[in-house]
Amino acid sequence: MNIFKIFSAIFFLALISPGCKNDDPPCDYSNSEFQTLYQSLISSGYTDATSYDTEIHEYTFTLSENKEVCEIGYQSQPGIKSTPYIIEISDDQANSLIYSDSHVFSSNETSYVEPTSPIFLQAGISYTIRRIQTHWDGNIGNVIGRLARKDSMNFPYTNGIVTITGANFYQNGGPLVDMGIPYIDLIFK
């Protein structure tokens, strides 16, 4: 019985002791730089719309600090709620794709997914994030997405470490260049 008590005490202490700490900040999607930028546009008269029936919605951006992407946020359309979107991030200066994978998002609200491989972004480099939806179940209206828009967009837009330098909506429609900012949220750690 004493051995059981000793083992239980050691086990309990191991559970509550700090041990090895992970110093990585948590991935918190409650208030990202992108969300703050988007909301400031809406507050200043831009329209929070769900529009642009093109298969690809993308924006180009730079960061002022090196960061790792820990989550990507998007909202699906109800008509294709279980259909994956392809999310891509490209390094525009190296002309190379650094991330591409399929993800399913909620159709009720913006939902977040973890990248399937690490995405490290460097300060001062131009990147493009795009969401691609080519499986729209025979209804091109299923490819619309949430975006902030105004008749006269004035790129670049900056908040915190993020500067959005342009946007494009194309493929099976468009192109609509710099006509809005698609709501594709990036969460950094």
Side-chain angles (χ1 to χ4, degrees):
M1 194 62 150
N2 276 344
I3 293 176
F4 179 74
K5 287 181 182 178
I6 293 171
F7 179 77
S8 295
I10 292 171
F11 181 73
F12 178 74
L13 288 173
L15 283 176
I16 63 170
S17 69
C20 294
K21 264 186 144 175
N22 182 353
D23 291 334
D24 285 342
C27 196
D28 178 12
Y29 60 85
S30 64
N31 191 28
S32 72
E33 286 89 351
F34 178 85
Q35 290 170 32
T36 304
L37 185 149
Y38 193 91
Q39 287 307 319
S40 71
L41 292 176
I42 301 309
S43 296
S44 66
Y46 288 67
T47 302
D48 188 5
T50 303
S51 188
Y52 297 160
D53 56 358
T54 60
E55 293 177 336
I56 299 175
H57 292 195
E58 69 181 25
Y59 65 83
T60 302
F61 66 98
T62 60
L63 301 176
S64 60
E65 297 176 13
N66 294 345
K67 287 292 182 180
E68 180 181 357
V69 175
C70 61
E71 290 188 339
I72 301 164
Y74 193 70
Q75 182 175 350
S76 176
Q77 288 303 301
I80 54 171
K81 63 184 174 189
S82 60
T83 303
Y85 287 81
I86 297 171
I87 300 294
E88 292 183 349
I89 300 176
S90 60
D91 177 330
D92 300 330
Q93 289 173 258
N95 197 25
S96 64
L97 194 60
I98 60 173
Y99 182 80
S100 180
D101 212 338
S102 297
H103 299 284
V104 174
F105 297 94
S106 169
S107 63
N108 299 324
E109 62 187 355
T110 301
S111 60
Y112 291 82
V113 296
E114 288 185 36
T116 53
S117 60
I119 305 170
F120 298 101
L121 304 178
Q122 296 178 354
I125 302 292
S126 177
Y127 296 98
T128 299
I129 183 163
R130 66 186 55 88
R131 72 82 168 142
I132 304 168
Q133 183 53 269
T134 58
H135 302 287
W136 30 273
D137 199 27
N139 179 356
I140 192 68
N142 284 332
V143 299
I144 61 176
R146 184 177 178 199
L147 57 107
R149 66 171 303 278
K150 192 173 184 179
D151 288 341
S152 178
M153 299 289 291
N154 294 308
F155 288 91
Y157 296 95
T158 300
N159 181 65
I161 65 166
V162 175
T163 298
I164 297 177
T165 58
N168 199 358
F169 304 83
Y170 61 99
Q171 191 165 296
N172 213 357
L176 301 165
V177 178
D178 293 342
M179 298 294 289
I181 298 173
Y183 197 105
I184 310 168
D185 196 4
L186 290 174
I187 308 299
F188 304 113
K189 65 177 180 177

